[in-house]
């Protein structure tokens, strides 16, 4: 890395090692010298999982089902969750069961190793049950890391997990030999204990995984550890960014950017694979509230996966940015977002929770969410999940699929093609559109409401916007479902939705039009839309629906070209 890190003489980043070194100087200025391949051979190994193969030891008394054979390990060794077909249950306080596992085979050049013990439970009591994970190293049993409180499982089925990034016998990072069970302090087993026999915890599955954490996000939530410098990609791209931290909050190229962030600009992230828990996005997990900071001319393509390994929720996450309090301009995300969780809130195709102004941004791809029994979920959008900032000249073509599984009566609400829920009352959306489908299926008994092709629940001023995506809701208790808007608490004017492609004849606001009318310019100019320098209809773009001249790919010569936009799926 060259340069001195000042505004006049920023550090110049030449390779992935320089990029990773940014975490050690968080208030400096940086720029890219060239395109960077962020992959490393030591990060290329695949995650491995192991299941119990023997009983090592136990304390207290346990009930096992089936009762024959009496061994416990074979009741919890399934590769996939098996419901109640086999389980073990503590019948005395502080009962503990330890299991042997087969050795891992992590390659010798592997780095950034993380060990996670995970289990599935069922709790039939009306109160929370407590449990604690253990590992066995060199003949000694170690409880979950110091400072970790006893975990709790709510009523119903639940997944829990705990990680060990260091070997508890040494206090240091795992060596390859130790994690593979052949070193001086070898990993030998895993276990679980239940401090309270009542209410009972039915343990149906337990296992261990070893994974490569990959790139360490730049900036943390800790005081003085946030990134508050400036980063200029100079029009270059970062390829093959790999981050796999399923139990970590604030995950992305930049993990946590403070309120005094200068800027992040002019960079593309291509073919990324980013996994986190909360506040996750390919570019930034958290971008703090700033009066002068700005994120501009940035994009990401690839996959973002939100993990729920017993953390209990997935919130404030998006394809590009998890939480945003800055101005964001000329940015997009193209790819897939997926999660399997018990609570999904404030999740968006571009940004999960937004308090900043968005201009000329878009998202495209697919957003797939499975919600298991546990809690209520809300605020899911193709562009933004929960918005309290102005949005102008933005769009989304991201298809949203939400499936809530049977097992509880918690609600599901606030889902929209562009925005899930908007609030604040003093902000506005103008000149935006959504063309992605919104499909919601609930097998549970809880209410499903506020679902819309453009917005689920609105409390902002919206004008000159439209939607075309199919809105399909399958649920036993559903209400406030609309082609454009599910539920409205503010002013929506001169907005339209396609009654044919959406399959919806009703909406809380907006005007329904046929497909032919939606592809006719006078439908919009008669409502005062600006077709001089904002909107455009051409046969070769956007399936003949109105395009945004300054944003929609392939439709305009005026798209900001500091970052060259690659080919997209917009047709």
């Amino acid at each position: 890395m060259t340069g001195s890190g000042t505004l006049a003489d920023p550090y110049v980043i030449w390779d992935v090692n320089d990029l990773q070194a940014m975490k050690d100087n968080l208030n400096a200025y940086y720029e890219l010298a060239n395109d960077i391949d962020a992959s490393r051979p030591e990060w290329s190994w695949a995650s491995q999982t192991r299941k119990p193969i023997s009983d090592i030891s136990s304390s207290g008394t346990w009930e096992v089902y089936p009762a024959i054979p009496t061994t416990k390990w074979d009741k919890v060794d399934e590769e996939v969750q098996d419901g109640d077909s086999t389980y073990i249950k503590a019948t005395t306080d502080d009962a503990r069961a330890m299991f042997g596992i087969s050795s891992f085979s992590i390659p010798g050049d592997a780095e950034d190793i993380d060990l996670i013990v995970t289990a599935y439970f069922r709790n039939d009591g009306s109160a929370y049950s407590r449990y604690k994970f253990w590992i066995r190293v060199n003949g000694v049993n170690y409880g979950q890391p110091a400072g970790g409180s006893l975990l709790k499982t709510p009523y119903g089925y639940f997944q829990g997990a705990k990680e060990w990034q260091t070997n508890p016998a040494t206090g240091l990072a795992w060596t390859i030999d130790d994690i593979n069970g052949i070193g001086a302090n070898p990993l030998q087993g895993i276990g679980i204990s239940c401090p309270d026999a009542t209410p009972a915890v039915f343990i149906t599955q337990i296992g261990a995984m070893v994974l490569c954490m990959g790139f360490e996000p730049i900036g943390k939530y800790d005081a003085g550890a946030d990134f508050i410098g400036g980063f200029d990609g100079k029009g270059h791209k970062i390829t093959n960014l790999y981050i796999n931290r399923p139990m970590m909050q604030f995950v992305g190229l930049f993990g946590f950017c403070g309120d005094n962030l200068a800027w992040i600009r002019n960079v593309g992230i291509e073919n990324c694979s980013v996994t986190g828990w909360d506040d996750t996005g390919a570019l930034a997990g958290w971008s703090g509230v700033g009066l002068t900071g700005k994120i501009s001319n940035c994009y990401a393509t690839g996959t973002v996966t939100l993990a729920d390994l017993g953390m209990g929720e997935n919130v404030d996450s998006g394809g590009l940015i998890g939480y945003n309090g800055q101005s964001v301009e000329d940015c997009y995300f193209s790819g897939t977002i997926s999660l399997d969780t018990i609570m999904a809130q404030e999740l968006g195709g571009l940004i999960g929770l937004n308090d900043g102004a968005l201009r000329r941004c878009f998202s495209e791809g697919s957003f797939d969410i499975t919600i298991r029994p546990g809690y209520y979920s809300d605020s899911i959008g193709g562009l933004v999940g929960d918005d309290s900032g102005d949005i102008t000249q933005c769009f989304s073509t991201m298809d949203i699929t939400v499936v809530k599984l049977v097992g509880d009566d918690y609600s599901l609400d606030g889902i929209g093609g562009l925005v899930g829920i908007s609030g604040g009352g003093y902000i506005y959306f103008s000149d935006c559109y959504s063309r992605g489908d919104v499909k919601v299926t609930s097998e549970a008994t809880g209410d499903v409401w506020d679902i819309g092709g453009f917005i689920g629940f609105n409390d902002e001023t919206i004008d000159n916007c439209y939607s075309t995506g199919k809105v399909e809701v399958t649920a036993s208790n559903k209400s406030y479902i609309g082609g454009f808007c599910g539920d409205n608490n503010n002013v929506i004017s001169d907005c339209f939705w396609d009654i044919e492609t959406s399959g919806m004849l009703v909406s809380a606001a907006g005007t329904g039009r046929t497909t032919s009318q939606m592809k006719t310019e006078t439908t919009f100019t008669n409502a005062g839309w600006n077709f001089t320098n904002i909107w455009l209809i051409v046969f070769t773009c956007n399936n003949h629906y109105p395009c945004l001249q300054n944003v929609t790919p392939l439709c305009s010569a005026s798209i900001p070209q500091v970052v060259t936009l690659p080919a997209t799926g917009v047709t």
Side-chain angles (χ1 to χ4, degrees):
M1 188 184 299
T2 58
S4 60
T6 64
L7 179 60
D9 182 32
Y11 288 125
V12 179
I13 297 172
W14 297 88
D15 56 28
V16 65
N17 296 321
D18 288 347
L19 190 69
Q20 184 66 94
M22 287 178 61
K23 67 183 179 62
D24 299 322
N25 194 343
L26 298 167
N27 61 354
Y29 292 84
Y30 299 86
E31 64 180 39
L32 295 185
N34 43 248
D35 292 347
I36 290 179
D37 183 349
S39 63
R40 282 178 171 175
E42 57 268 30
W43 291 344
S44 63
W45 54 281
S47 301
Q48 298 181 14
T49 60
R50 296 292 185 268
K51 298 298 180 182
I53 59 173
S54 64
D55 292 340
I56 296 179
S57 64
S58 64
S59 62
T61 57
W62 292 82
E63 175 186 321
V64 298
Y65 181 83
I68 302 297
T70 58
T71 50
K72 292 184 282 296
W73 68 269
D74 60 325
K75 311 300 189 298
V76 292
D77 67 339
E78 291 78 17
E79 289 295 330
V80 295
Q81 169 68 347
D82 69 340
D84 295 327
S85 61
T86 61
Y87 63 80
I88 62 175
K89 181 180 70 171
T91 57
T92 58
D93 292 350
D94 293 315
R96 182 175 67 201
M98 300 296 298
F99 307 102
I101 58 174
S102 57
S103 297
F104 287 97
S105 55
I106 306 303
D109 61 349
E111 291 184 1
D112 300 296
I113 296 171
D114 192 13
L115 169 67
I116 298 177
V117 181
T118 181
Y120 276 98
F121 312 92
R122 176 170 59 84
N123 172 12
D124 284 346
S126 59
Y128 283 88
S129 298
R130 301 187 299 167
Y131 62 95
K132 181 177 181 178
F133 286 112
W134 296 76
I135 61 174
R136 188 177 182 87
V137 176
N138 199 24
V140 179
N141 297 330
Y142 294 89
Q144 58 200 51
S149 60
L150 290 171
L151 303 177
K152 299 179 180 180
T153 175
Y155 178 80
Y157 287 98
F158 188 77
Q159 183 180 19
K162 203 66 181 178
E163 66 178 344
W164 279 261
Q165 293 186 10
T166 58
N167 187 330
T170 65
L172 303 175
W174 289 98
T175 67
I176 301 300
D177 284 349
D178 284 349
I179 202 71
N180 286 338
I182 58 176
N185 293 282
L187 174 68
Q188 297 170 322
I190 60 176
I192 193 165
S193 64
C194 299
D196 310 306
T198 305
V201 179
F202 297 76
I203 303 160
T204 66
Q205 180 184 351
I206 188 170
M209 70 172 72
V210 171
L211 55 84
C212 173
M213 294 182 285
F215 187 88
E216 182 178 345
I218 300 163
K220 300 178 181 179
Y221 176 75
D222 302 336
D226 52 337
F227 180 74
I228 55 174
F231 179 86
D232 191 339
K234 308 297 287 186
H236 297 296
K237 61 188 178 183
I238 299 168
T239 58
N240 305 315
L241 177 67
Y242 176 78
I243 304 174
N244 189 14
R245 298 172 183 262
M247 298 189 70
M248 181 175 176
Q249 190 176 14
F250 309 117
V251 175
L253 174 65
F254 294 90
F256 193 95
C257 299
D259 293 347
N260 296 317
L261 171 73
W263 59 69
I264 300 173
R265 61 193 184 192
N266 308 330
V267 67
I269 301 172
E270 295 187 2
N271 192 37
C272 70
S273 175
V274 176
T275 298
W277 165 42
D278 277 1
D279 298 287
T280 295
L283 180 68
W286 180 284
S287 175
V289 178
L291 298 178
T292 59
K294 179 183 290 188
I295 297 176
S296 61
N297 294 313
C298 298
Y299 71 87
T301 68
T303 62
V304 173
T305 303
L306 305 177
D308 175 18
L309 295 179
M311 308 305 287
E313 61 185 17
N314 290 107
V315 301
D316 299 355
S317 296
L320 192 72
I321 303 170
Y323 166 79
N324 174 62
Q326 310 281 343
S327 171
V328 177
E329 297 181 354
D330 306 303
C331 295
Y332 74 85
F333 174 79
S334 177
T336 60
I337 307 171
S338 62
L339 71 153
D340 184 326
T341 183
I342 65 171
M343 185 176 78
Q345 291 184 328
E346 298 160 353
L347 306 176
L350 186 78
I351 298 172
L353 175 61
N354 178 57
D355 287 330
L358 306 186
R359 300 179 182 89
R360 300 180 303 276
C361 296
F362 71 90
S363 62
E364 62 178 7
S366 62
F367 201 158
D368 299 309
I369 303 172
T370 299
I371 303 173
R372 291 175 279 107
Y375 296 103
Y376 60 89
S377 296
D378 59 41
S379 307
I380 301 167
L383 188 78
V384 176
D386 189 329
D387 182 74
S388 294
D390 298 337
I391 301 179
T392 57
Q393 296 190 47
C394 295
F395 75 87
S396 175
T397 61
M398 184 162 282
D399 292 327
I400 300 173
T401 302
V402 181
V403 177
K404 182 169 176 59
L405 302 179
V406 67
D408 65 33
D409 59 358
Y410 287 101
S411 63
L412 173 62
D413 66 279
I415 304 174
L418 192 83
V419 173
I421 290 178
S422 68
Y426 300 101
I427 51 183
Y428 65 89
F429 297 167
S430 180
D431 299 306
C432 299
Y433 69 87
S434 62
R435 292 198 53 219
D437 295 338
V438 177
K439 182 177 181 180
V440 179
T441 302
S442 177
E443 302 170 357
T445 58
D447 294 332
V448 176
W449 77 85
D450 292 357
I451 315 294
F454 185 86
I455 188 167
F457 172 82
N458 176 59
D459 193 18
E460 300 177 359
T461 299
I462 302 178
D463 60 35
N464 297 0
C465 298
Y466 77 89
S467 65
T468 68
K470 185 176 181 60
V471 179
E472 183 178 351
V473 180
T474 303
S476 58
N477 298 300
K478 61 182 180 180
S479 58
Y480 298 103
I481 316 297
F484 183 85
C485 176
D487 192 5
N488 181 42
N489 193 40
N490 211 310
V491 177
I492 296 179
S493 58
D494 302 319
C495 294
F496 303 91
W497 85 93
D498 190 321
I499 59 175
E500 296 180 73
T501 57
S502 69
M504 297 294 297
L505 297 176
V506 297
S507 177
T511 302
R513 290 287 185 259
T514 65
T515 299
S516 176
Q517 290 171 325
M518 292 290 291
K519 297 182 178 183
T520 302
E521 185 173 312
T522 55
T523 298
F524 306 96
T525 55
N526 289 342
W529 288 35
N530 181 345
F531 269 71
T532 302
N533 50 29
I534 295 180
W535 293 97
L536 178 73
I537 290 182
V538 292
F539 285 99
T540 57
C541 175
N542 210 23
N543 198 22
H544 202 194
Y545 287 103
C547 307
L548 288 165
Q549 294 183 29
N550 301 313
V551 190
T552 309
L554 311 179
C555 294
S556 169
S558 60
I559 299 174
Q561 292 298 312
V562 179
V563 172
T564 301
L565 302 177
T568 74
V570 178
T571 59

